[in-house]
Amino acid sequence: MTPRRTFKETLAHIIFDYNTVPAKLFDLFLIGAIVLSVIIVMLDSVPGIHSAYGGVFYGMEWFFTIIFTIEYGLRIYVASNKPRYMTSFFGIIDLLSILPTYFSLFFPGTQYLLVIRFFRVLRIFRLLKLVKFVKEGEYVRNALLASSRKILFFLFFVLVTVSIIGSLMYLIEGEAHGFYSIFEGVYWAIVTITTVGYGDITPQTILGRALAAFLMIIGYSVIAVPTGIVSAEMASMNEQLHREIAKIDTCCRVIEHDHDAKFCKKCGEPLKGSAGPSSGKEQ
Amino acid sequence: MTPRRTFKETLAHIIFDYNTVPAKLFDLFLIGAIVLSVIIVMLDSVPGIHSAYGGVFYGMEWFFTIIFTIEYGLRIYVASNKPRYMTSFFGIIDLLSILPTYFSLFFPGTQYLLVIRFFRVLRIFRLLKLVKFVKEGEYVRNALLASSRKILFFLFFVLVTVSIIGSLMYLIEGEAHGFYSIFEGVYWAIVTITTVGYGDITPQTILGRALAAFLMIIGYSVIAVPTGIVSAEMASMNEQLHREIAKIDTCCRVIEHDHDAKFCKKCGEPLKGSAGPSSGKEQ
Amino acid sequence: MTPRRTFKETLAHIIFDYNTVPAKLFDLFLIGAIVLSVIIVMLDSVPGIHSAYGGVFYGMEWFFTIIFTIEYGLRIYVASNKPRYMTSFFGIIDLLSILPTYFSLFFPGTQYLLVIRFFRVLRIFRLLKLVKFVKEGEYVRNALLASSRKILFFLFFVLVTVSIIGSLMYLIEGEAHGFYSIFEGVYWAIVTITTVGYGDITPQTILGRALAAFLMIIGYSVIAVPTGIVSAEMASMNEQLHREIAKIDTCCRVIEHDHDAKFCKKCGEPLKGSAGPSSGKEQ
Amino acid sequence: MTPRRTFKETLAHIIFDYNTVPAKLFDLFLIGAIVLSVIIVMLDSVPGIHSAYGGVFYGMEWFFTIIFTIEYGLRIYVASNKPRYMTSFFGIIDLLSILPTYFSLFFPGTQYLLVIRFFRVLRIFRLLKLVKFVKEGEYVRNALLASSRKILFFLFFVLVTVSIIGSLMYLIEGEAHGFYSIFEGVYWAIVTITTVGYGDITPQTILGRALAAFLMIIGYSVIAVPTGIVSAEMASMNEQLHREIAKIDTCCRVIEHDHDAKFCKKCGEPLKGSAGPSSGKEQ
């Protein structure tokens, strides 16, 4: 803690930073409170526990909610760019994490939505200085983003397929076998093509089972598509990364290059080592 | 809209193109009508809703069918190459999207097949100018086509495997445990090897369960095969694509290279363009 | 058909070859008979159909069995290398395809094993001149063989995991919830880790469900392992293939190589074109 | 066996090594005893078998436990580095393999934990001189380790997702449909997102089924992520391995190369070895 800071600056540092002892303690306390409050919400939903400790839990819920409300207020107060914080991912999550308790005064039951607080624990990655973890997150996110269009296109086809096969199934099996409407048929088709297979609605006729078998074989084959897309994307990323690492030890350091050369004229490697001086002489 | 066009040309433009306001509005209206009509068909299959609004839905169904019939007629009328449109993917879908309503006059129930209209929404990709989306579709399709023979071969083996294990299961478990015939055995084997696992037919004997466990482990391992095939194919495609993109911006043509240069000293690209003359001076 | 052949040679040609009209017709007839006989076996297992057409099916089964027995005899008779045929994949399948009918005289029910005949249809790939299909089969087989050790090692770990978690589950849930012995526990663990999930045996206690959730998350992660192994293997194969194709158009044809050169000294490509003459001058 | 060894050395050799006949026999006997003892534990859990042979099994269990206890004592006695053995993977497994029988004197039922002995069979890979198998294990382990952070990050997101969707499901479906508390909701969400799909708890309302369908589609897409991560990692490893293997047989060191050669004209390998001297003469 640097003593020169104003109170507001110190507070901002403790709340938003994570590299000094007080800031770490604040984050640790926060994560503990979040996990504890989520566990309380979950336990409170168990009828036996609720009837015994419902009162205690109700008090603790309000205790945590008031603490988190104060914290949310402080975050807005100390944020240098208030609108940016309030519209950021964590800003929205912070708000959503306190609203359900207030709503539960008017709409009983909504307090269970408090589990959204769990998202706040993502801050733990920051606390643990697991910057690398954040990198991994970005890696996964980038791979998913890069393949999102392909996956969306693919999902659209899946949607059309389950609609048509679900309707056919409704025609074939009918209400007698649990297919009360096309919606049940589509639900069954989704349960089947994703290989979840609850078994709460299943075809009973020969024709229905043949169609189901067809859908399963289809699902078996097409499950390969999103996997293939993401795998290929990640392999590309890995390769790029490896190539960058591989370029470190090149022969280019011993050859005398032209002053305007950016790549070794013998091996084609970019001349990173000589980039500094030569870049100054760029024409 | 260019005023010089004849009425037929203007109509053809509105119906088949998608880059002016009237053409876009037409497509938008069409997609809205398709989605609405599919929702009506689905809702109409719910018994409670049908008894209340069946009459309204019946009218709307005919309304949409007549509109789509007129649209289909117009498409044929304005198409420059009528047989090509009628035998194209969208031409066939357009026809199949109106037939079920007419058929339902003679065969009640077939109107549920109207969900095939959903395929027409694929036109949305055109409307949104998501040409890139179409590219993604081609990407997925190409990867699937390129690996289709391998997957077919693989599916044939799966088919033989489920036939033989299904027959064995019928012998082991018998009618007492729901395996009424070999068909139930094969159906069970497909449900199991695809990891859907409804649980409507399950082995009860020790031997049956051992065989089931064997089949599951097999399924667990072989699910890797189609995924591996498609992943490998897509990785190849990605690599090719990346290589092509990397070659777009080469400055190599405008720079004067040393006579012994094999790579552009500016951008590191292999000097293909100058390979001809310089190779002649090679010693 | 070349008229010079002896009767035995002509027979051998018709039975084992597939590139003339009589040989093709023979294969076509054979495949039709196989598919028909398998369908009959399957239909005969349906109680209703059996009671109505059991007699007809019994006759047809013997008819096909006798035909296939004669065919098997002829194959041995005309084979140039009898023991090799009899111990080959198709030789064993051919024998196994007729034995069940004879066995069924002594052990009723074994006739259902006749579906093993289905394997004989693999010959269809030969008939359709789908040599490429055979290649695809080799591709899949090679990729599986190359990764078989890794997969075996992996399966051993899966086996140990399901044994231990199955035993724990038996301890936790006990007979009251369907876990009558450790075997049921292991069966349940296999059903769960492979994501089949019949639901015939499921945990009911909190602790049991927590362990089940743990096993599912594990299964979710490890399903990636065999897929990753096979994908990586296939990607390597694809790359090798592409590299071979890419090497066709090299600069090496225009350079004058040393007479003892096997690789272009400029680009490192193998000198295929000059391999013929230069190999004769090898020292 | 070298006669010069002391008794302790000979014993250590037999117990820890695996390349002479007595050492192999010891390992073989050990593995046989392990497998037999595990089968006995499993059989003893079957009620019918237990009532008939419980006494015999009880005796055999103690017999094996005493043998394994003596073996464990000997291993500690002959180990050159006692603490290292006792804290090694196999040292801990060896201890855990005998404890349950002693514990079962005080806590009946714990003897079923003896299946942990199964892990000791991993020694079989050593016996079969399948050093390559060990390599494969390392390969799989390395690929999993290299991607563990990415997978952990991914699992955290899955955990938060199932918590929130499980809570929503508890709100939507309620106790009437088996969702007695949020824990059942989370359990159901895990069963669904991993595509296990027991079907013991399933949504019954329209809204619940819509949310379930959403979760399944999500699960369908995200199952691609761990697979993609591991596949990409293994592809990288394979590539590295292939590159290393390709470099083993280079003849390039013994041939006299042209001064301008950058690749061996015999084998096509890049001339790394001669890069030093030749690069000095580079212009």
Side-chain angles (χ1 to χ4, degrees), chain C residues 100-137:
Chain C
T101 313
Y102 297 109
F103 280 178
S104 70
L105 289 176
F106 311 102
F107 312 103
T110 47
Q111 74 271 18
Y112 298 126
L113 296 175
L114 285 172
V115 288
I116 210 168
R117 276 176 188 165
F118 225 174
F119 266 124
R120 301 189 69 197
V121 181
L122 277 174
R123 286 203 170 95
I124 208 172
F125 291 113
R126 204 184 61 177
L127 179 69
L128 296 172
K129 269 206 180 166
L130 291 179
V131 187
K132 282 205 160 180
F133 262 104
V134 177
K135 254 194 198 165
E136 307 301 357

Side-chain angles (χ1 to χ4, degrees), chain A residues 41-58:
Chain A
V41 170
M42 286 191 171
L43 284 176
D44 194 37
S45 74
V46 181
I49 297 176
H50 178 76
S51 59
Y53 305 97
V56 183
F57 286 162
Y58 188 74

Side-chain angles (χ1 to χ4, degrees), chain B residues 100-149:
Chain B
T101 314
Y102 297 108
F103 279 177
S104 70
L105 290 175
F106 311 102
F107 312 102
T110 47
Q111 75 271 19
Y112 298 127
L113 296 175
L114 286 171
V115 288
I116 211 168
R117 278 176 187 165
F118 225 173
F119 266 124
R120 302 189 69 198
V121 180
L122 277 173
R123 287 204 170 93
I124 208 171
F125 291 113
R126 203 184 62 177
L127 178 69
L128 297 171
K129 269 207 178 164
L130 291 180
V131 187
K132 282 203 161 182
F133 262 104
V134 178
K135 253 193 198 166
E136 307 300 357
E138 268 171 34
Y139 176 87
V140 169
R141 206 192 53 188
N142 285 346
L144 284 179
L145 274 183
S147 18
S148 62
R149 270 217 316 271

Side-chain angles (χ1 to χ4, degrees), chain D:
Chain D
M1 276 205 297
T2 45
R4 297 262 176 147
R5 283 170 173 166
T6 66
F7 174 71
K8 191 174 166 180
E9 276 171 2
T10 308
L11 210 62
H13 162 70
I14 290 172
I15 289 177
F16 284 108
D17 286 359
Y18 52 92
N19 40 23
T20 64
V21 173
K24 274 183 184 171
L25 280 177
F26 175 78
D27 271 5
L28 254 187
F29 168 79
L30 200 63
I31 285 162
I34 291 163
V35 171
L36 196 58
S37 78
V38 169
I39 289 172
I40 283 167
V41 170
M42 286 191 171
L43 284 176
D44 194 37
S45 74
V46 182
I49 297 175
H50 178 77
S51 60
Y53 304 98
V56 182
F57 287 162
Y58 188 74
M60 290 176 82
E61 205 177 292
W62 274 105
F63 170 74
F64 282 122
T65 301
I66 286 162
I67 282 187
F68 292 150
T69 308
I70 293 168
E71 183 222 338
Y72 181 64
L74 283 179
R75 280 184 189 270
I76 293 176
Y77 170 65
V78 303
S80 54
N81 187 336
K82 289 183 213 323
R84 216 188 59 175
Y85 162 69
M86 289 173 75
T87 56
S88 72
F89 173 75
F90 276 122
I92 291 164
I93 293 291
D94 289 347
L95 180 60
L96 290 176
S97 298
I98 50 175
L99 286 185
T101 314
Y102 296 108
F103 280 177
S104 70
L105 289 176
F106 311 102
F107 312 103
T110 48
Q111 73 271 18
Y112 297 127
L113 296 175
L114 286 171
V115 288
I116 211 168
R117 276 175 189 165
F118 225 173
F119 265 125
R120 301 189 70 200
V121 181
L122 277 174
R123 286 203 171 94
I124 208 172
F125 291 113
R126 203 183 62 177
L127 178 70
L128 297 171
K129 272 208 175 162
L130 291 180
V131 187
K132 284 205 159 180
F133 262 104
V134 178
K135 255 194 198 164
E136 307 299 358
E138 269 171 33
Y139 175 88
V140 169
R141 206 193 53 188
N142 286 345
L144 283 180
L145 274 182
S147 19
S148 63
R149 270 216 317 271
K150 284 169 211 156
I151 287 178
L152 262 184
F153 194 83
F154 173 73
L155 284 183
F156 181 82
F157 265 106
V158 168
L159 205 68
V160 172
T161 304
V162 297
S163 295
I164 288 168
I165 291 191
S167 302
L168 272 175
M169 213 63 180
Y170 166 69
L171 272 181
I172 293 170
E173 294 283 329
E175 297 180 32
H177 299 142
F179 291 82
Y180 300 114
S181 74
I182 289 182
F183 292 108
E184 267 84 18
V186 173
Y187 173 69
W188 165 85
I190 292 173
V191 167
T192 300
I193 207 173
T194 58
T195 79
V196 170
Y198 285 139
D200 50 351
I201 308 173
T202 54
Q204 308 289 331
T205 64
I206 296 275
L207 193 58
R209 284 183 169 173
L211 187 63
F214 172 75
L215 186 64
M216 283 170 218
I217 299 282
I218 292 287
Y220 196 54
S221 301
V222 294
I223 208 166
V225 175
T227 305
I229 293 167
V230 175
S231 293
E233 206 55 56
M234 282 181 172
S236 293
M237 282 185 179
N238 260 20
E239 211 180 308
Q240 250 175 295
L241 207 75
H242 284 213
R243 214 174 287 151
E244 274 165 30
I245 288 167
K247 280 179 184 166
I248 290 172
D249 298 316
T250 58
C251 64
C252 311
R253 266 150 247 268
V254 288
I255 304 175
E256 196 178 347
H257 299 289
D258 293 1
H259 77 281
D260 62 344
K262 272 186 293 300
F263 293 91
C264 173
K265 64 185 177 185
K266 276 282 180 193
C267 72
E269 278 305 304
L271 292 178
K272 261 191 180 172
S274 59
S278 74
S279 63
K281 296 170 192 168
E282 210 73 59
Q283 309 181 350

